[in-house]
Amino acid sequence: MRIAFLGTPDFALPSLEMLIGAEHELCVFTQPDRPAGRHGELTPPPVKVMAEQRGIPVRQFEKIRSAQGVAALRAFAPELMVTAAFGQLLSQENLDIPTYGCVNVHASLLPKYRGAAPIQWAIIEGERVTGVTTMLTELGLDTGDILLFEQTEIGPDETAGELFKRLSALGAKVLKETIERMQNGTLTRAKQDEALASKCRMINKEDGRIDFSQSAQKVHDLVRGANPWPCAYALLDGEPIKIWKTRMTQEPPAGEPGLCAVADPRRGLYVDAGDGLVEILEMQFPGARRMDAKTALLGHPLAGRRLR
RNA sequence: CGCGGGGUAGAGCAGUUGGUAGCUCGUCGGGCUCAUAACCCGGAGGUCGUUGGUUCAAGUCCUUCCCCCGCAA
């Protein structure tokens, strides 16, 4: 099939790779190269890198809705359009181009967690199950009819980064099946139940701020959901300390929220949360690299100090 | 050359106005204890990232380059 693939970051890679392997006639549309990294060097999006390596034509547009974007899509004349973490909104004009419409791969069990950062938010909100959904794109944000979905359990200590990898692979699998069934005519579509719908916003740095007056489970969920980005943190004397990994304990609370109840290079670092202690396993001081808490404690005496 | 922080014993850090380096953990040896994430005594281990310079003297001041981290994007 002639497929226009619209995607940008790593999440889209397994899906793109699957399409390449299935020998569809592809053209990739992605975002322009952006300044990135320490020196602001112009960096191509991951999807572009893969496409070029595999000899797939690539087109980049600031806005696919623009006249040029629409013209380029029309010129390719796709039968199907596939989006996976594209990062741009499509117009009705865009959606009208492919004969079979547009399929979106979304990293949640729709209609829950519509929007920008479903993987992080699902973990932060303590979900135990999530998944991937393919849907027919329409103008609303992730509101189109559901085609297929597959669910998966979230591990109790799983991070957003780890889940991200699993869901991107699962996304490729569900997309493959979606296209196959579309081709052999066994695909069905189901309206989303608006009553069950929820929207999640984009996640930002501030969302990583830990509130130690919340339960230990909440703190742990935030740390997992914010890893690797934006990364959970707390302030020590006004300085942000990044918290990369934590572990739930059965220990009862020992003092005020955020208090470093135990801070010993041999025993580890235990901090008070609302209803018990959380062990901090990996952390990062300003200017330093990320390290396990016991090591960090060697040069940073924290006993009795308080994270806020 | 977007802004800023940093490179000191195996590891994590400290080193005041320039005067041949300290702490914690680890490590090696010894001791104490029913026992210990405990404690005591002793030892080994550092060309202070790199280049050049200032100085009687530089981890500490200036300079070249390399690497790490944060912010911003």
Side-chain angles (χ1 to χ4, degrees):
Chain A
M1 202 154 31
R2 269 171 92 75
I3 300 178
F5 185 81
L6 287 66
T8 305
D10 291 328
F11 181 81
L13 257 30
S15 290
L16 175 57
E17 179 143 51
M18 180 281 292
L19 292 175
I20 294 172
E23 298 183 344
H24 291 289
E25 185 182 348
L26 293 171
C27 182
V28 163
F29 293 78
T30 188
Q31 307 250 25
D33 294 5
R34 306 273 190 211
R38 208 97 57 190
H39 302 291
E41 286 161 24
L42 223 49
T43 307
V47 160
K48 177 185 179 184
V49 174
M50 174 179 273
E52 287 185 334
Q53 279 172 353
R54 310 294 285 270
I56 309 296
V58 176
R59 307 298 310 272
Q60 294 173 279
F61 294 96
E62 197 65 52
K63 286 190 175 178
I64 195 69
R65 287 166 295 176
S66 67
Q68 299 94 310
V70 170
L73 268 178
R74 285 214 175 103
F76 180 62
E79 294 168 272
L80 178 68
M81 202 149 86
V82 170
T83 59
F86 180 43
Q88 286 186 30
L89 295 175
L90 304 184
S91 64
Q92 191 59 50
E93 206 176 5
N94 290 139
L95 295 172
D96 287 340
I97 293 171
T99 37
Y100 295 106
C102 179
V103 172
N104 180 231
V105 183
H106 191 257
S108 80
L109 295 174
L110 290 172
K112 295 183 77 175
Y113 297 99
R114 292 170 172 172
I119 300 174
Q120 283 104 320
W121 286 116
I123 292 180
I124 291 171
E125 294 184 9
E127 299 288 344
R128 310 180 82 158
V129 174
T130 185
V132 166
T133 306
T134 53
M135 45 161 281
L136 277 174
T137 306
E138 57 179 47
L139 279 183
L141 183 64
D142 297 324
T143 55
D145 289 354
I146 293 171
L147 299 173
L148 295 176
F149 66 90
E150 189 158 332
Q151 55 181 48
T152 182
E153 283 187 21
I154 300 176
D157 295 313
E158 189 163 19
T159 65
E162 291 160 354
L163 182 57
F164 197 93
K165 270 196 194 138
R166 293 204 297 122
L167 291 185
S168 64
L170 191 59
K173 183 184 167 211
V174 177
L175 176 62
K176 183 173 197 276
E177 196 181 335
T178 301
I179 293 175
E180 285 169 358
R181 291 180 58 172
M182 181 177 271
Q183 286 177 313
N184 65 28
T186 60
L187 197 59
T188 56
R189 50 195 285 184
K191 285 239 170 301
Q192 292 192 30
D193 184 346
E194 286 302 320
L196 298 176
S198 68
K199 220 185 264 186
C200 61
R201 61 188 170 78
M202 203 174 289
I203 193 164
N204 61 44
K205 266 231 132 48
E206 207 31 50
D207 292 315
R209 177 77 179 271
I210 297 173
D211 176 1
F212 281 105
S213 67
Q214 300 231 292
S215 70
Q217 182 69 55
K218 275 280 178 203
V219 171
H220 186 240
D221 290 345
L222 175 62
V223 170
R224 296 188 296 133
N227 176 330
W229 199 89
C231 191
Y233 72 96
L235 299 183
L236 180 70
D237 292 335
E239 297 253 55
I241 310 297
K242 291 190 168 194
I243 309 295
W244 287 96
K245 251 182 169 42
T246 49
R247 185 178 69 82
M248 301 284 296
T249 75
Q250 304 304 318
E251 308 297 321
E256 295 171 83
L259 180 75
C260 296
V262 176
D264 181 281
R266 273 179 291 236
R267 287 191 289 170
L269 178 58
Y270 292 78
V271 179
D272 258 299
D275 62 352
L277 297 183
V278 173
E279 180 176 10
I280 292 180
L281 299 174
E282 264 182 58
M283 61 198 300
Q284 184 171 18
F285 282 87
R289 68 187 67 210
R290 164 182 180 175
M291 61 187 96
D292 65 273
K294 290 178 181 175
T295 301
L297 249 18
L298 290 172
H300 301 273
L302 293 183
R305 302 184 70 189
R306 201 170 160 196
L307 298 170
R308 293 171 191 278

